[in-house]
Coordinates of all heavy atoms in Angstrom, one line a residue:
M1 N -90.9 38.1 -202.8 CA -90.0 37.3 -203.5 C -90.8 36.6 -204.6 O -91.8 35.8 -204.4 CB -89.4 36.2 -202.6 CG -88.4 35.4 -203.3 SD -87.4 34.5 -202.1 CE -88.0 32.9 -202.3
N2 N -90.5 36.8 -205.9 CA -91.1 36.2 -207.0 C -90.4 34.9 -207.5 O -89.1 35.0 -207.7 CB -91.2 37.1 -208.2 CG -92.6 37.6 -208.4 OD1 -93.5 37.1 -207.8 ND2 -92.7 38.7 -209.2
V3 N -91.1 33.8 -207.6 CA -90.5 32.6 -208.1 C -90.7 32.6 -209.6 O -91.8 32.8 -210.1 CB -91.1 31.4 -207.5 CG1 -90.5 30.1 -208.0 CG2 -91.0 31.4 -206.0
P4 N -89.6 32.3 -210.4 CA -89.7 32.3 -211.9 C -90.7 31.2 -212.3 O -90.8 30.1 -211.7 CB -88.3 32.1 -212.4 CG -87.4 32.4 -211.2 CD -88.2 32.2 -210.0
A5 N -91.4 31.4 -213.4 CA -92.3 30.4 -214.0 C -91.6 29.1 -214.4 O -92.1 28.0 -214.3 CB -93.0 31.0 -215.1
A6 N -90.3 29.2 -214.7 CA -89.6 28.0 -215.2 C -89.4 27.0 -214.0 O -89.4 25.8 -214.3 CB -88.2 28.4 -215.7
W7 N -89.3 27.5 -212.8 CA -89.2 26.6 -211.7 C -90.5 25.8 -211.5 O -90.5 24.6 -211.2 CB -88.9 27.3 -210.4 CG -87.5 27.9 -210.3 CD1 -86.6 28.0 -211.3 CD2 -86.9 28.4 -209.2 NE1 -85.5 28.5 -210.9 CE2 -85.6 28.8 -209.6 CE3 -87.3 28.5 -207.8 CZ2 -84.7 29.3 -208.7 CZ3 -86.3 29.1 -207.0 CH2 -85.1 29.5 -207.4
Y8 N -91.6 26.4 -211.7 CA -92.9 25.7 -211.6 C -93.0 24.7 -212.7 O -93.5 23.5 -212.5 CB -94.1 26.7 -211.7 CG -94.2 27.5 -210.5 CD1 -94.1 28.9 -210.6 CD2 -94.6 27.0 -209.2 CE1 -94.2 29.7 -209.5 CE2 -94.8 27.8 -208.1 CZ -94.6 29.2 -208.2 OH -94.7 29.9 -207.1
L9 N -92.6 25.0 -213.9 CA -92.6 24.1 -215.0 C -91.7 22.9 -214.8 O -92.0 21.8 -215.2 CB -92.3 24.8 -216.3 CG -93.3 25.9 -216.7 CD1 -92.9 26.6 -218.0 CD2 -94.7 25.3 -216.9
V10 N -90.5 23.1 -214.2 CA -89.6 22.0 -213.9 C -90.2 21.1 -212.9 O -90.1 19.9 -213.0 CB -88.2 22.6 -213.5 CG1 -87.4 21.5 -212.9 CG2 -87.5 23.3 -214.7
L11 N -90.8 21.7 -211.9 CA -91.5 20.9 -210.8 C -92.6 20.1 -211.4 O -92.8 18.9 -211.1 CB -92.0 21.8 -209.7 CG -92.8 21.1 -208.6 CD1 -92.0 20.1 -207.9 CD2 -93.4 22.1 -207.7
A12 N -93.4 20.7 -212.3 CA -94.5 20.0 -213.0 C -93.9 18.8 -213.8 O -94.5 17.7 -213.9 CB -95.3 20.9 -213.9
A13 N -92.8 19.1 -214.5 CA -92.2 18.0 -215.4 C -91.7 16.8 -214.5 O -91.9 15.7 -214.8 CB -91.1 18.6 -216.2
V14 N -91.1 17.2 -213.3 CA -90.6 16.1 -212.4 C -91.8 15.3 -211.9 O -91.7 14.1 -211.8 CB -89.8 16.8 -211.3 CG1 -89.5 15.8 -210.2 CG2 -88.5 17.3 -211.9
L15 N -92.8 16.0 -211.4 CA -94.0 15.3 -210.9 C -94.6 14.4 -212.0 O -95.1 13.3 -211.7 CB -95.0 16.3 -210.4 CG -94.7 17.0 -209.1 CD1 -95.8 18.1 -208.8 CD2 -94.6 16.1 -208.0
F16 N -94.7 14.9 -213.2 CA -95.3 14.1 -214.3 C -94.4 12.9 -214.6 O -94.9 11.8 -214.8 CB -95.5 15.0 -215.6 CG -96.3 14.3 -216.6 CD1 -97.7 14.5 -216.6 CD2 -95.7 13.5 -217.6 CE1 -98.5 13.9 -217.6 CE2 -96.5 12.9 -218.6 CZ -97.9 13.1 -218.5
G17 N -93.1 13.1 -214.5 CA -92.2 12.0 -214.8 C -92.3 10.9 -213.7 O -92.3 9.7 -214.0
I18 N -92.4 11.3 -212.4 CA -92.6 10.4 -211.3 C -93.9 9.6 -211.5 O -93.9 8.4 -211.3 CB -92.6 11.1 -210.0 CG1 -91.2 11.6 -209.7 CG2 -93.0 10.2 -208.9 CD1 -91.1 12.6 -208.5
G19 N -95.0 10.3 -211.9 CA -96.2 9.7 -212.1 C -96.2 8.7 -213.3 O -96.7 7.6 -213.2
A20 N -95.6 9.1 -214.4 CA -95.5 8.2 -215.5 C -94.6 7.0 -215.2 O -95.0 5.8 -215.6 CB -94.9 8.9 -216.7
F21 N -93.5 7.2 -214.5 CA -92.7 6.0 -214.1 C -93.5 5.1 -213.2 O -93.4 3.8 -213.3 CB -91.4 6.5 -213.3 CG -90.5 5.4 -212.9 CD1 -89.7 4.8 -213.8 CD2 -90.5 5.1 -211.5 CE1 -88.9 3.7 -213.3 CE2 -89.7 4.1 -211.1 CZ -88.9 3.4 -212.0
G22 N -94.2 5.6 -212.2 CA -94.9 4.8 -211.3 C -96.1 4.0 -212.0 O -96.3 2.9 -211.7
L23 N -96.7 4.7 -213.0 CA -97.8 4.1 -213.7 C -97.2 2.9 -214.6 O -97.9 1.9 -214.7 CB -98.4 5.1 -214.6 CG -99.7 4.6 -215.4 CD1 -100.8 4.3 -214.5 CD2 -100.1 5.7 -216.4
L24 N -96.0 3.0 -215.1 CA -95.5 2.0 -216.0 C -94.8 0.9 -215.2 O -94.7 -0.2 -215.8 CB -94.5 2.6 -217.0 CG -95.1 3.6 -218.0 CD1 -93.9 4.3 -218.8 CD2 -96.0 2.9 -218.9
T25 N -94.4 1.1 -214.0 CA -93.7 0.0 -213.3 C -94.5 -0.7 -212.2 O -94.2 -1.8 -211.9 CB -92.4 0.6 -212.6 OG1 -92.8 1.7 -211.7 CG2 -91.5 1.2 -213.7
R26 N -95.5 -0.1 -211.6 CA -96.2 -0.7 -210.5 C -97.4 -1.5 -211.1 O -97.9 -1.3 -212.1 CB -96.8 0.4 -209.6 CG -95.8 1.2 -209.0 CD -94.9 0.4 -208.1 NE -93.9 1.3 -207.5 CZ -92.9 0.8 -206.7 NH1 -92.8 -0.5 -206.5 NH2 -92.0 1.6 -206.2
R27 N -97.7 -2.6 -210.3 CA -98.8 -3.5 -210.8 C -100.0 -3.4 -209.9 O -101.0 -4.1 -210.2 CB -98.3 -4.9 -210.7 CG -97.0 -5.2 -211.6 CD -97.0 -4.7 -213.0 NE -98.2 -5.1 -213.8 CZ -98.5 -4.5 -214.9 NH1 -97.8 -3.5 -215.4 NH2 -99.6 -4.9 -215.5
S28 N -100.0 -2.6 -208.9 CA -101.2 -2.4 -208.1 C -102.1 -1.4 -208.6 O -101.7 -0.3 -209.0 CB -100.8 -2.1 -206.6 OG -101.9 -1.7 -205.9
A29 N -103.4 -1.6 -208.7 CA -104.4 -0.7 -209.3 C -104.4 0.6 -208.4 O -104.6 1.7 -209.0 CB -105.7 -1.3 -209.4
L30 N -104.3 0.5 -207.1 CA -104.4 1.7 -206.3 C -103.2 2.6 -206.5 O -103.3 3.8 -206.6 CB -104.4 1.2 -204.8 CG -105.7 0.5 -204.4 CD1 -105.6 0.1 -202.9 CD2 -106.9 1.5 -204.5
I31 N -102.0 2.0 -206.6 CA -100.8 2.8 -206.9 C -100.9 3.4 -208.3 O -100.5 4.6 -208.5 CB -99.5 1.9 -206.8 CG1 -99.4 1.3 -205.5 CG2 -98.3 2.7 -207.2 CD1 -99.2 2.3 -204.3
M32 N -101.5 2.7 -209.2 CA -101.6 3.3 -210.6 C -102.6 4.5 -210.6 O -102.4 5.5 -211.3 CB -102.1 2.2 -211.6 CG -101.1 1.1 -211.8 SD -101.7 -0.3 -212.8 CE -101.5 0.4 -214.4
F33 N -103.7 4.4 -209.8 CA -104.6 5.5 -209.7 C -103.9 6.7 -209.0 O -104.1 7.9 -209.5 CB -105.8 5.1 -208.8 CG -106.9 4.5 -209.6 CD1 -107.4 3.2 -209.2 CD2 -107.4 5.1 -210.7 CE1 -108.4 2.6 -209.9 CE2 -108.4 4.4 -211.4 CZ -108.9 3.2 -211.0
M34 N -103.1 6.5 -208.0 CA -102.3 7.6 -207.4 C -101.4 8.2 -208.4 O -101.2 9.4 -208.4 CB -101.6 7.1 -206.2 CG -102.5 6.8 -205.0 SD -101.7 6.6 -203.4 CE -100.4 5.5 -203.8
C35 N -100.8 7.4 -209.2 CA -99.8 8.0 -210.2 C -100.6 8.8 -211.3 O -100.0 9.8 -211.7 CB -99.1 6.8 -210.9 SG -97.9 6.0 -209.8
V36 N -101.7 8.3 -211.7 CA -102.5 9.1 -212.6 C -102.9 10.5 -212.0 O -102.9 11.5 -212.7 CB -103.8 8.3 -213.1 CG1 -104.7 9.2 -213.9 CG2 -103.3 7.2 -214.0
E37 N -103.3 10.4 -210.7 CA -103.6 11.7 -210.1 C -102.4 12.6 -210.0 O -102.6 13.8 -210.1 CB -104.2 11.4 -208.7 CG -105.5 10.7 -208.6 CD -106.6 11.6 -209.3 OE1 -106.6 12.8 -209.0 OE2 -107.4 11.0 -210.0
L38 N -101.2 12.1 -209.7 CA -100.0 12.9 -209.7 C -99.8 13.5 -211.0 O -99.4 14.7 -211.1 CB -98.8 12.0 -209.2 CG -97.5 12.7 -209.0 CD1 -97.7 13.7 -207.8 CD2 -96.4 11.7 -208.7
M39 N -100.0 12.8 -212.1 CA -99.8 13.3 -213.4 C -100.8 14.4 -213.7 O -100.5 15.4 -214.3 CB -99.9 12.2 -214.5 CG -98.7 11.2 -214.4 SD -99.0 9.7 -215.3 CE -99.2 10.3 -217.0
L40 N -102.1 14.2 -213.3 CA -103.1 15.3 -213.5 C -102.7 16.5 -212.7 O -102.9 17.6 -213.2 CB -104.4 14.7 -213.1 CG -105.1 13.7 -214.1 CD1 -106.4 13.2 -213.5 CD2 -105.3 14.4 -215.4
N41 N -102.2 16.4 -211.5 CA -101.8 17.5 -210.7 C -100.6 18.3 -211.3 O -100.5 19.5 -211.3 CB -101.5 17.1 -209.3 CG -102.8 16.9 -208.5 OD1 -103.8 17.5 -208.8 ND2 -102.7 16.0 -207.6
A42 N -99.7 17.5 -212.0 CA -98.6 18.2 -212.7 C -99.2 19.0 -213.9 O -98.7 20.1 -214.1 CB -97.6 17.1 -213.2
V43 N -100.1 18.5 -214.6 CA -100.7 19.2 -215.7 C -101.5 20.5 -215.1 O -101.4 21.6 -215.7 CB -101.7 18.3 -216.5 CG1 -102.5 19.1 -217.5 CG2 -100.9 17.2 -217.2
N44 N -102.1 20.3 -214.0 CA -102.8 21.5 -213.4 C -101.8 22.5 -213.0 O -102.1 23.7 -213.2 CB -103.6 21.0 -212.1 CG -104.8 20.3 -212.5 OD1 -105.3 20.4 -213.6 ND2 -105.4 19.6 -211.5
L45 N -100.7 22.2 -212.5 CA -99.6 23.1 -212.1 C -99.1 23.9 -213.4 O -98.9 25.1 -213.3 CB -98.5 22.4 -211.4 CG -97.3 23.3 -211.0 CD1 -97.8 24.4 -210.0 CD2 -96.2 22.5 -210.3
T46 N -99.0 23.2 -214.5 CA -98.6 23.8 -215.7 C -99.7 24.8 -216.2 O -99.4 25.9 -216.6 CB -98.4 22.7 -216.8 OG1 -97.4 21.8 -216.3 CG2 -97.9 23.4 -218.1
F47 N -101.0 24.4 -216.1 CA -102.1 25.3 -216.5 C -102.0 26.6 -215.7 O -102.1 27.7 -216.2 CB -103.4 24.6 -216.3 CG -103.8 23.7 -217.5 CD1 -104.6 22.6 -217.2 CD2 -103.4 23.9 -218.7 CE1 -105.0 21.8 -218.2 CE2 -103.7 23.1 -219.8 CZ -104.6 22.0 -219.5
V48 N -101.9 26.4 -214.4 CA -101.9 27.6 -213.5 C -100.6 28.5 -213.7 O -100.7 29.7 -213.7 CB -101.9 27.2 -212.0 CG1 -101.7 28.3 -211.1 CG2 -103.3 26.5 -211.7
T49 N -99.5 27.9 -214.0 CA -98.3 28.6 -214.3 C -98.4 29.5 -215.5 O -98.2 30.7 -215.5 CB -97.1 27.7 -214.4 OG1 -96.9 27.0 -213.2 CG2 -95.8 28.5 -214.8
F50 N -98.9 28.9 -216.6 CA -99.1 29.6 -217.8 C -100.3 30.7 -217.7 O -100.2 31.7 -218.3 CB -99.4 28.7 -219.0 CG -98.2 28.1 -219.5 CD1 -98.1 26.7 -219.6 CD2 -97.1 28.8 -220.0 CE1 -96.9 26.1 -220.1 CE2 -95.9 28.2 -220.4 CZ -95.8 26.8 -220.5
S51 N -101.2 30.4 -216.9 CA -102.3 31.3 -216.6 C -101.8 32.5 -215.9 O -102.1 33.7 -216.2 CB -103.4 30.6 -215.8 OG -104.4 31.5 -215.5
R52 N -100.9 32.3 -214.9 CA -100.3 33.4 -214.2 C -99.4 34.2 -215.1 O -99.4 35.5 -215.0 CB -99.6 32.9 -213.0 CG -99.2 34.0 -212.1 CD -98.3 33.5 -210.9 NE -96.9 33.9 -211.2 CZ -95.9 33.4 -210.7 NH1 -95.9 32.3 -210.0 NH2 -94.7 33.9 -211.0
T53 N -98.6 33.5 -215.9 CA -97.6 34.2 -216.8 C -98.3 35.1 -217.8 O -97.9 36.2 -218.1 CB -96.7 33.1 -217.4 OG1 -96.1 32.3 -216.4 CG2 -95.7 33.8 -218.3
L54 N -99.4 34.5 -218.4 CA -100.1 35.3 -219.4 C -101.2 36.2 -218.9 O -101.9 36.8 -219.7 CB -100.7 34.3 -220.4 CG -99.7 33.3 -221.1 CD1 -100.4 32.3 -221.9 CD2 -98.7 34.1 -222.0
S55 N -101.4 36.2 -217.6 CA -102.5 37.0 -217.0 C -103.8 36.7 -217.6 O -104.6 37.6 -217.9 CB -102.1 38.5 -217.1 OG -101.0 38.8 -216.4
D56 N -104.1 35.4 -217.7 CA -105.4 35.0 -218.3 C -106.0 33.9 -217.3 O -105.3 33.1 -216.8 CB -105.1 34.3 -219.7 CG -106.3 34.0 -220.4 OD1 -107.4 34.5 -220.1 OD2 -106.3 33.2 -221.3
I57 N -107.3 34.0 -217.2 CA -108.0 33.2 -216.2 C -108.4 31.8 -216.8 O -108.8 30.9 -216.1 CB -109.2 33.9 -215.7 CG1 -109.8 33.2 -214.4 CG2 -110.3 34.0 -216.7 CD1 -109.2 33.7 -213.2
S58 N -108.3 31.6 -218.1 CA -108.7 30.4 -218.7 C -108.0 29.2 -218.3 O -108.5 28.1 -218.2 CB -108.7 30.5 -220.3 OG -107.3 30.7 -220.7
G59 N -106.7 29.3 -217.9 CA -105.9 28.2 -217.4 C -106.4 27.7 -216.1 O -106.5 26.5 -215.8
Q60 N -106.8 28.7 -215.2 CA -107.3 28.3 -213.9 C -108.7 27.7 -214.1 O -109.1 26.8 -213.3 CB -107.3 29.5 -213.0 CG -105.9 30.0 -212.7 CD -105.9 31.3 -211.9 OE1 -106.9 31.8 -211.5 NE2 -104.7 31.7 -211.7
A61 N -109.5 28.1 -215.0 CA -110.8 27.5 -215.3 C -110.6 26.1 -215.8 O -111.4 25.2 -215.4 CB -111.6 28.3 -216.3
S62 N -109.6 25.8 -216.6 CA -109.3 24.5 -217.0 C -108.9 23.6 -215.9 O -109.3 22.4 -215.9 CB -108.2 24.5 -218.1 OG -108.6 25.2 -219.2
V63 N -108.2 24.1 -214.9 CA -107.8 23.3 -213.8 C -109.0 22.9 -213.0 O -109.1 21.7 -212.5 CB -106.9 24.1 -212.9 CG1 -106.7 23.5 -211.5 CG2 -105.5 24.3 -213.5
F64 N -110.0 23.7 -212.9 CA -111.2 23.4 -212.2 C -111.9 22.2 -212.8 O -112.3 21.2 -212.2 CB -112.2 24.6 -212.1 CG -113.5 24.3 -211.5 CD1 -113.6 24.1 -210.1 CD2 -114.7 24.1 -212.3 CE1 -114.9 23.8 -209.6 CE2 -115.9 23.8 -211.7 CZ -116.0 23.6 -210.3
F65 N -112.0 22.2 -214.1 CA -112.7 21.1 -214.9 C -111.8 19.8 -214.8 O -112.4 18.7 -214.7 CB -113.0 21.5 -216.3 CG -114.1 22.5 -216.4 CD1 -113.8 23.7 -216.9 CD2 -115.3 22.2 -216.0 CE1 -114.8 24.7 -217.0 CE2 -116.4 23.1 -216.1 CZ -116.1 24.4 -216.6
V66 N -110.5 19.9 -214.8 CA -109.6 18.7 -214.7 C -109.8 18.1 -213.3 O -109.9 16.9 -213.2 CB -108.2 19.1 -215.0 CG1 -107.2 18.0 -214.6 CG2 -108.0 19.5 -216.4
M67 N -109.9 19.0 -212.3 CA -110.1 18.4 -210.9 C -111.5 17.7 -210.8 O -111.6 16.7 -210.1 CB -110.0 19.5 -209.9 CG -108.6 20.0 -209.8 SD -108.4 21.4 -208.7 CE -108.6 20.6 -207.1
V68 N -112.5 18.2 -211.4 CA -113.8 17.6 -211.4 C -113.8 16.2 -212.1 O -114.3 15.2 -211.6 CB -114.9 18.5 -212.0 CG1 -116.2 17.8 -212.2 CG2 -115.1 19.7 -211.1
V69 N -113.1 16.2 -213.2 CA -113.0 14.9 -214.0 C -112.2 13.9 -213.2 O -112.5 12.7 -213.1 CB -112.5 15.1 -215.4 CG1 -112.1 13.8 -216.1 CG2 -113.5 15.9 -216.2
A70 N -111.1 14.4 -212.5 CA -110.2 13.5 -211.7 C -111.0 13.0 -210.5 O -110.8 11.8 -210.2 CB -109.0 14.3 -211.3
A71 N -111.8 13.8 -209.9 CA -112.6 13.3 -208.8 C -113.6 12.2 -209.2 O -113.8 11.2 -208.5 CB -113.4 14.5 -208.1
A72 N -114.2 12.4 -210.4 CA -115.2 11.4 -210.9 C -114.4 10.1 -211.3 O -114.9 9.0 -211.0 CB -115.9 11.9 -212.1
E73 N -113.2 10.3 -211.8 CA -112.4 9.1 -212.2 C -112.0 8.3 -211.0 O -112.1 7.1 -211.0 CB -111.2 9.6 -213.0 CG -110.2 8.5 -213.3 CD -108.9 8.6 -212.5 OE1 -108.6 9.7 -212.1 OE2 -108.3 7.6 -212.3
V74 N -111.6 9.0 -209.9 CA -111.3 8.3 -208.7 C -112.4 7.6 -208.1 O -112.3 6.5 -207.6 CB -110.6 9.3 -207.7 CG1 -110.6 8.7 -206.3 CG2 -109.3 9.7 -208.2
T75 N -113.6 8.2 -208.1 CA -114.8 7.6 -207.5 C -115.2 6.3 -208.2 O -115.4 5.3 -207.6 CB -116.0 8.6 -207.5 OG1 -115.6 9.8 -206.9 CG2 -117.2 8.0 -206.9
V76 N -115.2 6.4 -209.5 CA -115.6 5.2 -210.3 C -114.5 4.1 -210.2 O -114.7 2.9 -210.0 CB -115.8 5.5 -211.8 CG1 -116.0 4.3 -212.6 CG2 -117.1 6.4 -211.9
G77 N -113.2 4.6 -210.3 CA -112.1 3.6 -210.3 C -112.0 2.9 -208.9 O -111.8 1.7 -208.9
L78 N -112.1 3.6 -207.8 CA -112.0 3.0 -206.5 C -113.2 2.1 -206.3 O -113.1 1.0 -205.6 CB -111.9 4.0 -205.4 CG -110.6 4.7 -205.3 CD1 -110.6 5.8 -204.2 CD2 -109.5 3.7 -205.1
G79 N -114.4 2.4 -206.8 CA -115.5 1.5 -206.7 C -115.2 0.2 -207.4 O -115.6 -0.9 -206.9
I80 N -114.6 0.2 -208.6 CA -114.3 -1.0 -209.3 C -113.2 -1.8 -208.5 O -113.3 -3.0 -208.4 CB -113.8 -0.6 -210.7 CG1 -115.0 -0.1 -211.5 CG2 -113.2 -1.8 -211.4 CD1 -114.6 0.5 -212.9
V81 N -112.2 -1.1 -208.0 CA -111.1 -1.7 -207.3 C -111.7 -2.4 -206.1 O -111.3 -3.6 -205.7 CB -110.0 -0.7 -207.0 CG1 -109.0 -1.3 -206.0 CG2 -109.3 -0.3 -208.2
V82 N -112.6 -1.8 -205.3 CA -113.1 -2.4 -204.1 C -113.9 -3.6 -204.5 O -113.9 -4.7 -203.8 CB -114.0 -1.4 -203.4 CG1 -114.8 -2.0 -202.3 CG2 -113.1 -0.3 -202.7
A83 N -114.7 -3.5 -205.6 CA -115.5 -4.7 -206.0 C -114.6 -5.9 -206.4 O -114.9 -7.0 -206.0 CB -116.4 -4.3 -207.2
V84 N -113.5 -5.6 -207.1 CA -112.6 -6.6 -207.5 C -111.9 -7.2 -206.3 O -111.7 -8.4 -206.1 CB -111.6 -6.1 -208.6 CG1 -110.5 -7.1 -208.8 CG2 -112.3 -5.9 -209.9
F85 N -111.5 -6.3 -205.3 CA -110.8 -6.8 -204.1 C -111.7 -7.7 -203.3 O -111.2 -8.7 -202.7 CB -110.3 -5.6 -203.3 CG -109.5 -5.9 -202.1 CD1 -108.2 -6.3 -202.2 CD2 -110.1 -5.9 -200.8 CE1 -107.5 -6.7 -201.1 CE2 -109.3 -6.3 -199.7 CZ -108.0 -6.7 -199.9
R86 N -113.0 -7.4 -203.2 CA -113.9 -8.3 -202.5 C -113.9 -9.7 -203.1 O -114.1 -10.7 -202.4 CB -115.3 -7.7 -202.4 CG -115.3 -6.5 -201.5 CD -116.7 -6.0 -201.4 NE -116.8 -4.9 -200.4 CZ -117.8 -4.1 -200.3 NH1 -118.9 -4.3 -201.0 NH2 -117.8 -3.1 -199.5
R87 N -113.8 -9.8 -204.4 CA -113.9 -11.1 -205.0 C -112.5 -11.8 -205.0 O -112.5 -13.0 -204.8 CB -114.4 -11.0 -206.5 CG -115.8 -10.7 -206.6 CD -116.3 -11.1 -208.0 NE -117.7 -11.0 -208.1 CZ -118.5 -12.1 -208.0 NH1 -118.0 -13.3 -207.9 NH2 -119.8 -12.0 -208.1
R88 N -111.5 -11.1 -205.3 CA -110.2 -11.7 -205.5 C -109.2 -11.5 -204.4 O -108.1 -12.2 -204.4 CB -109.5 -11.1 -206.8 CG -110.3 -11.4 -208.0 CD -109.5 -12.2 -208.9 NE -110.3 -12.6 -210.1 CZ -109.9 -13.5 -210.8 NH1 -108.9 -14.2 -210.6 NH2 -110.7 -13.8 -211.9
S89 N -109.4 -10.7 -203.4 CA -108.5 -10.3 -202.3 C -107.1 -9.8 -202.8 O -106.1 -10.1 -202.2 CB -108.3 -11.5 -201.4 OG -109.5 -11.9 -200.8
S90 N -107.1 -9.2 -204.0 CA -105.9 -8.6 -204.5 C -106.3 -7.5 -205.5 O -107.3 -7.5 -206.1 CB -105.1 -9.7 -205.3 OG -104.0 -9.1 -205.9
T91 N -105.4 -6.5 -205.5 CA -105.6 -5.4 -206.5 C -104.6 -5.4 -207.6 O -104.4 -4.4 -208.3 CB -105.5 -4.0 -205.7 OG1 -104.3 -3.9 -205.2 CG2 -106.6 -3.9 -204.7
S92 N -104.0 -6.5 -207.8 CA -103.0 -6.6 -208.9 C -103.6 -6.5 -210.3 O -104.7 -7.1 -210.5 CB -102.3 -8.0 -208.8 OG -101.4 -8.2 -209.9
V93 N -103.0 -5.7 -211.1 CA -103.6 -5.6 -212.5 C -103.4 -6.8 -213.3 O -104.2 -7.1 -214.2 CB -102.8 -4.4 -213.1 CG1 -103.3 -4.1 -214.6 CG2 -103.0 -3.1 -212.3
D94 N -102.4 -7.6 -213.0 CA -102.2 -8.9 -213.7 C -103.4 -9.8 -213.5 O -103.8 -10.5 -214.4 CB -100.9 -9.6 -213.3 CG -99.7 -8.7 -213.6 OD1 -99.8 -8.0 -214.7 OD2 -98.7 -8.8 -212.9
E95 N -104.0 -9.8 -212.3 CA -105.1 -10.7 -212.1 C -106.4 -10.1 -212.7 O -107.3 -10.9 -213.0 CB -105.3 -10.9 -210.6 CG -104.2 -11.7 -209.9 CD -104.5 -11.9 -208.4 OE1 -105.6 -11.7 -208.0 OE2 -103.5 -12.3 -207.8
L96 N -106.4 -8.8 -212.9 CA -107.6 -8.2 -213.5 C -107.7 -8.6 -215.0 O -108.8 -8.7 -215.5 CB -107.6 -6.7 -213.4 CG -107.7 -6.1 -212.0 CD1 -107.6 -4.6 -212.0 CD2 -109.1 -6.6 -211.4
S97 N -106.6 -8.9 -215.6 CA -106.7 -9.3 -217.0 C -107.3 -10.7 -217.2 O -107.8 -11.0 -218.3 CB -105.2 -9.3 -217.6 OG -104.5 -10.3 -217.0
E98 N -107.4 -11.4 -216.1 CA -108.0 -12.8 -216.2 C -109.5 -12.6 -216.2 O -110.2 -13.6 -216.4 CB -107.6 -13.6 -215.0 CG -106.1 -13.9 -215.0 CD -105.7 -14.6 -213.7 OE1 -106.5 -14.8 -212.8 OE2 -104.5 -14.9 -213.5
L99 N -110.1 -11.5 -215.9 CA -111.5 -11.3 -215.9 C -112.2 -11.2 -217.2 O -113.4 -11.1 -217.3 CB -111.9 -10.0 -215.0 CG -111.5 -10.1 -213.5 CD1 -111.8 -8.8 -212.9 CD2 -112.2 -11.2 -212.8
K100 N -111.4 -11.2 -218.3 CA -111.9 -11.1 -219.6 C -112.8 -12.3 -219.9 O -112.5 -13.4 -219.5 CB -110.8 -11.0 -220.7 CG -110.0 -9.7 -220.7 CD -109.1 -9.6 -221.9 CE -107.7 -9.6 -221.4 NZ -106.8 -9.5 -222.5
G101 N -113.9 -12.0 -220.6 CA -114.9 -13.0 -220.9 C -114.4 -14.2 -221.5 O -114.5 -15.3 -221.3

C-alpha cells in the first residue's frame, strides 16, 4: 500500500502549525523548545517526502544535518534553562527578559 506524498506534506504542515502556535502562545522556555523541535521535525518530514518523490538522496542528507543542529540546540538551550531555573525557580520567558544588563 503506497501512501501519496500529499498526505505526508499535509501532516508536516499540521505539525509545523501546531509547533508555531505553541511557540507563539506558550511562555515556558521548555515548551518553546519542544515546539521548535516539532517544527524542525515537520521540516524533516518534508525533506524526506520530496527526497522519496524525486528519488534523490540529498533531502535525506539534509535531514541528518538538521537533526545534528537540533541536538546541539537542545543541549545548549537546556543548559541555559537549567542554569536560569536554579537561580529563579521558574522557566518563564517573561522573567528571562529581566536578566538584561
Side-chain angles (χ1 to χ4, degrees):
M1 183 166 108
N2 251 349
V3 179
W7 288 14
Y8 291 114
L9 295 177
V10 168
L11 177 62
V14 168
L15 288 175
F16 193 87
I18 291 170
F21 178 76
L23 185 68
L24 295 174
T25 58
R26 301 294 179 187
R27 303 311 308 164
S28 172
L30 293 175
I31 302 295
M32 292 174 82
F33 276 125
M34 288 192 313
C35 290
V36 168
E37 291 299 318
L38 188 63
M39 292 167 61
L40 287 173
N41 284 326
V43 171
N44 285 342
L45 181 59
T46 304
F47 280 152
V48 169
T49 301
F50 282 124
S51 177
R52 189 186 109 201
T53 303
L54 301 174
S55 298
D56 187 18
I57 194 88
S58 63
Q60 294 174 4
S62 297
V63 167
F64 176 73
F65 290 114
V66 169
M67 290 176 75
V68 168
V69 169
E73 174 249 335
V74 166
T75 304
V76 171
L78 285 179
I80 293 171
V81 168
V82 167
V84 168
F85 184 76
R86 285 183 180 170
R87 285 200 172 258
R88 297 241 176 199
S89 298
S90 174
T91 60
S92 175
V93 179
D94 295 330
E95 291 182 17
L96 292 178
S97 66
E98 297 173 1
L99 296 176
K100 290 189 243 180

